[in-house]
Amino acid sequence: MKQLLSIFFSVSTFSYVLSAVNPPEEEVGNGRYVIEGRVFPPEEQDLGPWQVDTRIHVNGGEYIGFIREDGTFVVHNVPSGSYVVEILHPDYIYEPVRVEINSKGKYRARKVNYIQTSQVIQVPYPLRLKPLAKFRFFQVREQWRLTDFLFNPMVIMMVLPLLFIMILPKMMNDPETKEDLKQITNLAKMSEMPEMSEMFTSFFSGGAAAKASSSKAKQVKKRQ
Amino acid sequence: MGLLSIHFKPNFLGLLKCLNKLNWFIVFFSLINLSVCIYEDQIGKFDWRQTYVGRIKFSQFDTVSTAKKIIVATEENVLAALNLKTGQVVWRHVFESTSTGNIQLLHVTEKVVTVTGSNPYLVRGWDSSTGVLLWEWSLTLQNEEQSEFSEFWVQNNMLVHMLPVFGSHVEVSMYNLLSGQNRGATSKLPATWTNDGCVLSAPYYTCISGGVGTQQLLSLDVTSNAVQLLSRPISEYVTVNTYDGGLRPLDTNNVIPAFTLDDKKIVLIRNNQFEILKTEVVDPSASVALVDTMHGQVILQAWFDENEGFTVKAHNAATGAEVPELRVLEPELKLAEPELAAATCSRPRDQLACRLLLTGADDSVHLMQQGGRVIWSREEALANVVAVEFVELPVSDLDAAIESEFDQKEGSIWAAFTRRLQTQFQQLQTLIQSLQKGEGEEDEAPPALVRDYFGLHKIIVLVTDVGKIFGMDNLSGALLWQYYEPSLDTENVLVYTRRTARYPPYDAYVTIVGKHEESGNGLIISLNPITGALIGEKLMHLDVQLLQCALLHRPDNEKLYALILLDKDENVQILPGSAAPLVENMYMYVAEKNTARVQGYALVYDGRSLWARRTWQVQLGGGGAARVVLAARKAAAERVHSPGRVLPDRSVLYKYLNPNLVLFVTEGPDPLHKDVVVATCVDAVSGAVVAAQTHRRARALPLAIHTEHYLAYLYYNDKHRRTEIATLELYEGQSRWLGAGAAFSSLAGRRAPSVERQAYILAAAPAAAATTRTEKALTDKHVILALSSGALVEIPWGYLEARRGGLAEDGSVIPAQASPPELLLGGDARLNYNRSLARPARVHAAPAGLESTSLVLATGLDLFYTRVAPSKTFDLLKDDFDYYLITIVLAALILATYSTKYFASRKILKMAWK
């Protein structure tokens, strides 16, 4: 609790200091200044005119700058004040920078922090801006992978019993268990399933033949 | 960790309980599965973007570079290159929308030179093939007052700036085009004869000066070293009696200084002499251009006549003889007030080949060949859309017949039976017809405009700033119809769907309520949104200015919702007049923008006439001099699916669902806190203030969202220099005020709802806001924000929830999610992925027939349409659903079962023989 209090205290004093600095900056001076900098292109770009696609917005489009061939830019005729400079590229993220110009024409550039607005982490001026990362716009489609398939619980549920039934008896190679297994297989005969040929013969030749065939099947069973 | 588990346990138990219920999946979707983005292979599958540049101000053919282009500079402060063959945008630069982005000059040679802004000016050079900036320099004038009359042009690689001081002198300065270095000082040429009717035809500055009857035509080459004033009495050229002082520069001219006099004569300046041409201006409204061809200079004139249509005539400047190859007569082309924005002529094989770039009063752009063939057209009015309405399509004739069968309830069993037989016969007939048709012409007819099964196909009615109304197919973005009304002033225009296409034989009915451009009186346009034909009131000029208008909440027996208009004298009109007896329980409000006073009216029908009674009045903004920034009400006839929210402890928190609630955001100065933003929720029927919220040291943005019990509005926090979004949620509490299904009444029982508030930081500059809307409001609601950076982002309401971090009813803390108060706007929240939108202005959402889906259109300089599914498409198979795979798997399974069966029987047989 004490720690918390002290942290709060330090933050509040800091903001006081800054608010004392702020007022002269906020007055709009007559002087017109320029914001300068250099934008570095994304590295794995396909060498199109990236300068055309990249725009520089100051305070959300209040002032707009354009990038020259070599990546430098100048935003002209900006009165003194505090500005957020954004580099807008359709595919790449650039970090915005807050540029403060006081009434005497002194510049200060710092990182934008919307939560702790009084925190100052200075960055060099004239600005040098590098792309942070590529935008991730899209979800990645799930692709079919063998491992995914194998570790699918359904597949495991089916494969493991199969292993137990098929491989374990062979590994055991015990005559008694073999006998047991035979019985199991005999029990698990697929007698409910209609046989294709039977179905067709019964369909075409009427009930008598069907009966005969079924009696034959019974005989086979009995012989077993 | 220990602390966390203590907090976590009771909530986790609650969550488990919640999971038992059926609605667990809603929790799942709304909290865990927040990513809503599309797959990469879905690009362009259900979205499209159209790029526009705005009304053309300057244009020039770029004939130097290999890829033929037209460079245009527009009223929307856009510089762009258009492909000569297709009209598509090759590259585009968007300048500031304020006066600092105004384009003053466009000069195209190998490089494109622009001058933008209004003191200070910026001179920029661009590479014409790629659009890359080559150089720029700033130009600041000392003389501030007259700078709006400045003229720029390029001459001998020098930028010439001329500033006339009327009645005294002309200041001329020349700058190096590339560096901005001034060649010597500004020269001041004495010219007491200048006035504001002067025209520049570089490098000559021409005026008409002198008293009536003795007027002189004066012209001065302002760049020459020796001042040489040309002067002629005007009576040499025109009859002085009829002359009314018209001096116009030619619309397109880069050959020789020339201008038109009195809309009749064309005057050239050659060898420091005025030279009047034999060719006269044919029509006073004609656009005149001077083009250099192999046959010498040619005067082109283009005009539009109601009877004859669009006409272009060409005359040789030297001889005055008509050039018949360039004559165009197009009775079909309806191009009001055409303007020859640019023209170029070449002669590839001993034959004149001209290209004319024409702009109309409706902002449309056409590239025309000689002979009148239009190569391409662009509807640049769409760069400035002011109102949007999504309209349903009618059902097909067959479906309509089936529906009408079930509509008729009266009649005996036999009548119903015969009706059934009839319709079945009809269906059979159409089936046979379609079969017969299927053999022959199958893909000739365009897809009919009928409702599809999922209701995704709609028509978007777009009202543009210039007064042109478009009907657009939402799936393809193709224009279906257009209607141009020059006298429509579209400021605060309103669009109402008064009848949908659901009621055949009645047509769908859309009404646009605007103002007359000159008088400011009401102007009402009613049309069928499917065909674009005027119906009903058609084009109706009212003779009074309007204060407010609304739709009646009840349709008449033709299923038409009446339009109620409250005019400036507080008289009420209703259209159609026969609907007046239906008016009951109708209220209106009028908010005065600059005084922040809101006035409520009750509409009363006394058996003979309809009149408005003042009921309440509220002064918003806390007493100071405030102004209303916006008033946001719920969408008309909004559906609310659930009257409450289920809390983790299984109790229900009932929403306060007042359909009459209006959110007003006002902004006013404050002696202590600079600016104060006040948001007030007012019941528009009773005038009661339901909730209010004040933000000090803030500036309001005209963006708000109001749906169900949610309210959200945006403001700029001046203290912290960031944009914040404030959200309010209104709840009745744990018990319901009214019984289930009872209609809400603003007048009965005044209880204040409990208000949950929260504000979040938005790390971007917003330009427009909307919420998704679905048919039955079953789906989650997401907020869609258009940002000035060109992104269109979708934010789930869960991120904006006002109850987050607050105290729940039972005293437990609702867990603030682990995220900071800043809204995360990652790439996957962007609906328009890397298709950035230039200068977005509005976002519209409309429900589709499919419950999960909402249709979204963002307008601005670009149009972007997409569809979103806030809770994912739960009512639709995934679009990557593999029908082949499932068929193959099924077939293989059947095959496998029968083959194993066969092998098993053989095995048994073999074993039996053993």
Side-chain angles (χ1 to χ4, degrees):
Chain A
M1 198 61 196
K2 267 185 186 172
Q3 268 186 342
L4 240 170
L5 251 178
S6 64
I7 287 166
F8 176 72
F9 186 69
S10 66
V11 167
S12 59
T13 45
F14 200 65
S15 64
Y16 269 115
V17 170
L18 228 120
S19 61
V21 177
N22 274 344
E25 287 184 358
E26 283 181 0
E27 284 168 26
V28 177
N30 289 324
R32 298 275 180 165
Y33 302 99
V34 293
I35 297 174
E36 290 175 288
R38 184 183 176 126
V39 180
F40 292 91
E43 266 161 30
E44 70 257 46
Q45 45 131 353
D46 44 352
L47 286 168
W50 63 278
Q51 294 94 337
V52 180
D53 296 332
T54 316
R55 293 161 295 150
I56 289 146
H57 273 200
V58 177
N59 276 5
E62 211 178 309
Y63 301 93
I64 295 176
F66 298 92
I67 300 178
R68 277 181 235 173
E69 192 86 50
D70 57 352
T72 56
F73 70 88
V74 182
V75 182
H76 287 273
N77 304 326
V78 180
S80 61
S82 172
Y83 301 96
V84 176
V85 180
E86 293 171 284
I87 315 295
L88 305 172
H89 189 282
D91 287 310
Y92 287 88
I93 310 169
Y94 285 85
E95 199 175 8
V97 181
R98 188 178 282 283
V99 175
E100 278 154 353
I101 310 168
N102 72 8
S103 53
K104 288 176 196 130
K106 273 190 93 178
Y107 290 85
R108 182 174 73 172
R110 60 185 176 108
K111 285 195 169 173
V112 176
N113 189 337
Y114 284 113
I115 298 166
Q116 284 172 289
T117 45
S118 52
Q119 196 186 41
V120 178
I121 301 170
Q122 284 220 5
V123 291
Y125 185 88
L127 308 169
R128 296 170 71 77
L129 299 146
K130 289 195 176 87
L132 281 184
K134 201 170 177 176
F135 272 117
R136 241 198 66 234
F137 295 121
F138 305 108
Q139 268 177 295
V140 182
R141 275 245 191 254
E142 285 176 10
Q143 280 170 335
W144 196 86
R145 280 194 213 93
L146 194 71
T147 48
D148 286 4
F149 178 75
L150 288 181
F151 293 115
N152 186 344
M154 297 285 268
V155 174
I156 289 172
M157 235 164 69
M158 276 170 66
V159 169
L160 278 185
L162 207 77
L163 282 179
F164 277 117
I165 294 165
M166 303 290 282
I167 298 166
L168 271 183
K170 277 187 181 162
M171 278 169 71
M172 285 195 283
N173 235 349
D174 186 32
E176 270 180 44
T177 42
K178 263 186 187 169
E179 203 59 39
D180 285 350
L181 216 75
K182 234 178 217 172
Q183 276 180 359
I184 291 168
T185 44
N186 281 345
L187 280 173
K189 243 179 267 165
M190 287 173 281
S191 51
E192 309 92 295
M193 195 88 136
E195 198 180 341
M196 268 291 229
S197 56
E198 269 179 46
M199 267 170 66
F200 277 105
T201 46
S202 64
F203 186 76
F204 288 114
S205 60
K211 255 183 195 172
S213 68
S214 64
S215 65
K216 258 183 197 167
K218 268 176 199 167
Q219 276 172 358
V220 171
K221 265 183 201 168
K222 268 174 194 169
R223 258 183 226 170
Q224 267 188 342
Chain B
M1 187 61 215
L3 195 85
L4 200 130
S5 63
I6 289 165
H7 273 283
F8 194 62
K9 254 184 189 166
N11 279 327
F12 186 67
L13 283 176
L15 193 75
L16 274 181
K17 277 182 192 169
C18 210
L19 286 178
N20 290 335
K21 295 194 91 179
L22 187 74
N23 62 3
W24 67 270
F25 69 91
I26 296 173
V27 176
F28 179 81
F29 278 128
S30 61
L31 289 181
I32 300 159
N33 212 342
L34 287 173
S35 67
V36 285
C37 54
I38 59 169
Y39 296 105
E40 194 157 3
D41 48 74
Q42 286 176 322
I43 291 175
K45 206 163 179 184
F46 34 69
D47 56 18
W48 48 257
R49 181 180 70 163
Q50 296 176 353
T51 43
Y52 292 95
V53 295
R55 184 183 170 81
I56 288 177
K57 198 174 181 181
F58 306 110
S59 58
Q60 222 166 316
F61 284 91
D62 171 26
T63 46
V64 180
S65 56
T66 46
K68 295 275 171 68
K69 288 186 293 292
I70 305 171
I71 310 290
V72 293
T74 68
E75 305 274 354
E76 296 290 322
N77 304 347
V78 174
L79 174 73
L82 305 178
N83 188 317
L84 192 66
K85 290 204 176 87
T86 60
Q88 275 161 345
V89 176
V90 182
W91 52 261
R92 182 177 69 170
H93 285 296
V94 181
F95 298 113
E96 293 91 339
S97 54
T98 51
S99 67
T100 49
N102 278 350
I103 298 172
Q104 311 283 351
L105 170 76
L106 174 76
H107 179 81
V108 181
T109 49
E110 302 97 87
K111 309 272 180 286
V112 179
V113 179
T114 58
V115 177
T116 56
S118 56
N119 201 24
Y121 300 95
L122 276 176
V123 184
R124 290 185 176 112
W126 314 86
D127 187 304
S128 73
S129 60
T130 58
V132 176
L133 179 69
L134 298 173
W135 38 263
E136 63 183 330
W137 48 274
S138 174
L139 169 63
T140 312
L141 300 180
Q142 299 305 316
N143 189 348
E144 284 261 349
E145 294 103 56
Q146 290 250 318
S147 61
E148 73 232 54
F149 296 104
S150 291
E151 298 276 3
F152 290 94
W153 70 94
V154 177
Q155 195 175 334
N156 302 331
N157 231 1
M158 301 290 276
L159 180 78
V160 186
H161 170 247
M162 187 198 68
L163 180 67
V165 179
F166 297 138
S168 143
H169 61 274
V170 177
E171 288 177 23
V172 180
S173 351
M174 287 168 116
Y175 304 88
N176 186 314
L177 193 58
L178 299 172
S179 63
Q181 278 172 332
N182 195 340
R183 191 196 71 174
T186 305
S187 56
K188 280 191 184 178
L189 308 173
T192 50
W193 37 270
T194 49
N195 54 49
D196 59 357
C198 296
V199 297
L200 175 82
S201 182
Y204 285 89
Y205 192 58
T206 311
C207 292
I208 289 170
S209 181
V212 178
T214 59
Q215 286 144 323
Q216 295 273 321
L217 183 66
L218 297 143
S219 200
L220 176 69
D221 179 357
V222 291
T223 52
S224 71
N225 293 326
V227 178
Q228 198 174 14
L229 186 68
L230 311 180
S231 169
R232 286 276 166 197
I234 196 167
S235 50
E236 283 186 20
Y237 307 112
V238 288
T239 45
V240 180
N241 302 337
T242 59
Y243 174 73
D244 53 358
L247 197 60
R248 261 199 313 155
L250 301 189
D251 285 330
T252 300
N253 179 13
N254 38 21
V255 186
I256 193 165
F259 51 89
T260 61
L261 192 61
D262 198 21
D263 290 336
K264 281 194 192 80
K265 305 277 182 186
I266 302 165
V267 181
L268 301 184
I269 303 172
R270 210 194 297 249
N271 305 330
N272 256 340
Q273 285 295 323
F274 290 123
E275 184 182 320
I276 194 147
L277 291 187
K278 288 173 189 142
T279 317
E280 290 207 352
V281 181
V282 184
D283 191 280
S285 69
S287 167
V288 184
L290 184 64
V291 191
D292 211 358
T293 70
M294 297 296 159
H295 294 291
Q297 286 140 9
V298 167
I299 294 282
L300 284 171
Q301 298 186 53
W303 71 97
F304 177 72
D305 189 282
E306 279 297 328
N307 306 320
E308 289 170 28
F310 174 76
T311 318
V312 175
K313 267 189 182 172
H315 298 271
N316 193 313
T319 60
E322 199 185 329
V323 185
E325 296 140 283
L326 299 181
R327 192 187 174 127
V328 175
L329 188 65
E330 281 287 311
E332 298 304 309
L333 187 69
K334 294 272 176 284
L335 189 68
E337 298 172 40
E339 196 177 304
L340 285 160
T344 181
C345 284
S346 59
R347 196 169 58 166
R349 282 182 300 276
D350 212 41
Q351 194 183 15
L352 263 181
C354 285
R355 299 261 189 287
L356 312 176
L357 189 73
L358 298 157
T359 60
D362 59 353
D363 289 5
S364 62
V365 182
H366 307 270
L367 184 73
M368 190 180 268
Q369 239 174 12
Q370 83 279 15
R373 195 172 79 85
V374 174
I375 299 170
W376 49 258
S377 298
R378 290 175 66 88
E379 290 295 345
E380 289 302 338
L382 288 169
N384 220 328
V385 174
V386 289
V388 173
E389 186 84 1
F390 281 76
V391 185
E392 268 182 11
L393 285 167
V395 293
S396 60
D397 293 341
L398 193 68
D399 293 346
I402 295 168
E403 263 173 43
S404 67
E405 185 194 339
F406 288 104
D407 277 351
Q408 296 163 338
K409 295 223 165 50
E410 73 281 356
S412 67
I413 287 178
W414 287 113
F417 183 64
T418 48
R419 254 204 314 271
R420 161 52 59 93
L421 282 183
Q422 269 173 8
T423 48
Q424 301 252 299
F425 181 66
Q426 272 175 7
Q427 284 175 29
L428 196 72
Q429 263 187 329
T430 48
L431 186 76
I432 290 163
Q433 272 172 9
S434 67
L435 281 177
Q436 282 173 342
K437 244 185 218 165
E439 293 163 5
E441 68 300 18
E442 197 166 319
D443 46 8
E444 266 184 31
L449 285 174
V450 290
R451 197 180 309 166
D452 56 337
Y453 189 68
F454 291 133
L456 295 170
H457 196 181
K458 300 212 174 197
I459 283 183
I460 313 173
V461 177
L462 299 154
V463 184
T464 59
D465 188 47
V466 74
K468 201 167 189 184
I469 303 156
F470 293 94
M472 187 184 262
D473 186 325
N474 73 333
L475 296 183
S476 63
L479 293 177
L480 301 170
W481 52 263
Q482 55 201 46
Y483 175 80
Y484 177 49
E485 178 49 54
S487 59
L488 177 68
D489 177 4
T490 50
E491 194 196 353
N492 300 328
V493 73
L494 292 165
V495 185
Y496 295 104
T497 303
R498 288 171 65 188
R499 184 165 58 207
T500 61
R502 260 186 209 174
Y503 307 104
Y506 302 117
D507 286 330
Y509 200 114
V510 162
T511 297
I512 293 144
V513 183
K515 284 186 282 191
H516 192 274
E517 195 156 50
E518 275 147 31
S519 60
N521 291 343
L523 182 68
I524 294 170
I525 301 170
S526 292
L527 36 78
N528 179 348
I530 315 297
T531 60
L534 292 180
I535 51 171
E537 294 105 32
K538 294 191 173 167
L539 182 66
M540 190 172 176
H541 292 270
L542 300 177
D543 48 5
V544 69
Q545 295 190 6
L546 294 178
L547 269 186
Q548 180 67 292
C549 66
L551 278 196
L552 193 61
H553 48 86
R554 202 191 292 173
D556 63 6
N557 46 17
E558 288 186 349
K559 305 288 181 206
L560 185 72
Y561 287 90
L563 186 71
I564 299 173
L565 305 164
L566 181 70
D567 63 31
K568 215 159 195 172
D569 312 322
E570 299 187 355
N571 294 323
V572 184
Q573 279 189 58
I574 185 161
L575 298 170
S578 59
L582 292 172
V583 177
E584 194 188 353
N585 288 333
M586 187 77 199
Y587 300 87
M588 273 183 168
Y589 72 90
V590 175
E592 277 178 44
K593 202 163 189 172
N594 294 323
T595 58
R597 203 176 61 209
V598 187
Q599 176 78 52
Y601 296 89
L603 302 190
V604 187
Y605 179 69
D606 56 7
R608 280 171 288 117
S609 63
L610 197 62
W611 56 283
R613 180 160 53 88
R614 287 186 178 209
T615 48
W616 53 268
Q617 190 171 337
V618 174
Q619 181 68 44
L620 296 173
R627 62 186 191 90
V628 178
V629 177
L630 97 163
R633 65 181 186 109
K634 290 173 195 178
E638 186 188 59
R639 288 186 79 139
V640 180
H641 177 69
S642 157
R645 294 188 52 175
V646 182
L647 300 182
D649 62 351
R650 293 185 128 187
S651 63
V652 176
L653 189 60
Y654 286 99
K655 299 170 184 172
Y656 177 75
L657 298 168
N658 183 350
N660 309 320
L661 203 63
V662 182
L663 169 73
F664 292 100
V665 178
T666 55
E667 184 186 62
D670 189 88
L672 262 178
H673 308 287
K674 280 178 110 178
D675 297 305
V676 171
V677 174
V678 183
T680 322
C681 299
V682 179
D683 187 309
V685 170
S686 63
V689 173
V690 175
Q693 176 81 33
T694 311
H695 304 275
R696 298 192 171 84
R697 282 192 74 181
R699 276 176 286 144
L701 299 171
L703 308 173
I705 284 153
H706 189 175
T707 173
E708 292 193 23
H709 65 299
Y710 310 131
L711 298 132
Y713 54 92
L714 293 126
Y715 59 92
Y716 183 79
N717 189 328
D718 256 335
K719 189 180 169 195
H720 295 295
R721 291 185 297 221
R722 65 193 181 197
T723 312
E724 296 177 11
I725 178 164
T727 60
L728 299 173
E729 285 177 31
L730 308 176
Y731 289 102
E732 290 186 349
Q734 299 273 23
S735 60
R736 229 169 168 170
W737 294 358
L738 301 161
F744 184 91
S745 170
S746 294
L747 300 171
R750 283 194 188 157
R751 283 171 72 178
S754 70
V755 185
E756 306 280 351
R757 303 155 209 266
Q758 197 66 264
Y760 296 97
I761 301 163
L762 187 72
T771 52
T772 59
R773 289 172 62 195
T774 54
E775 184 87 8
K776 303 234 170 351
L778 204 78
T779 311
D780 277 357
K781 285 227 158 111
H782 285 188
V783 174
I784 295 170
L785 291 179
L787 307 178
S788 68
S789 65
L792 190 69
V793 292
E794 184 179 4
I795 306 170
W797 187 265
Y799 283 171
L800 295 170
E801 238 186 315
R803 290 179 70 245
R804 215 166 96 185
L807 279 175
E809 308 290 307
D810 58 349
S812 66
V813 177
I814 300 163
Q817 283 172 12
S819 59
E822 187 176 329
L823 293 174
L824 298 170
L825 307 171
D828 52 357
R830 279 200 192 194
L831 293 175
N832 58 337
Y833 39 102
N834 63 359
R835 292 181 168 179
S836 296
L837 305 179
R839 221 184 277 155
R842 282 172 177 79
V843 180
H844 300 267
L850 206 61
E851 170 53 28
S852 66
T853 309
S854 181
L855 311 176
V856 175
L857 180 78
T859 66
L861 208 53
D862 298 337
L863 297 183
F864 181 79
Y865 165 85
T866 189
R867 58 185 217 226
V868 292
S871 304
K872 305 239 162 173
T873 46
F874 55 81
D875 47 5
L876 197 67
L877 274 181
K878 275 187 196 168
D879 68 338
D880 62 329
F881 186 81
D882 208 333
Y883 293 93
Y884 292 110
L885 188 73
I886 204 154
T887 338
I888 289 165
V889 165
L890 262 177
L893 273 175
I894 291 165
L895 206 78
T897 42
Y898 278 106
S899 58
T900 48
K901 171 80 177 135
Y902 171 72
F903 284 122
S905 68
R906 272 187 59 174
K907 200 181 173 188
I908 288 164
L909 196 68
K910 270 183 189 165
M911 278 173 66
W913 277 107
K914 264 178 194 170

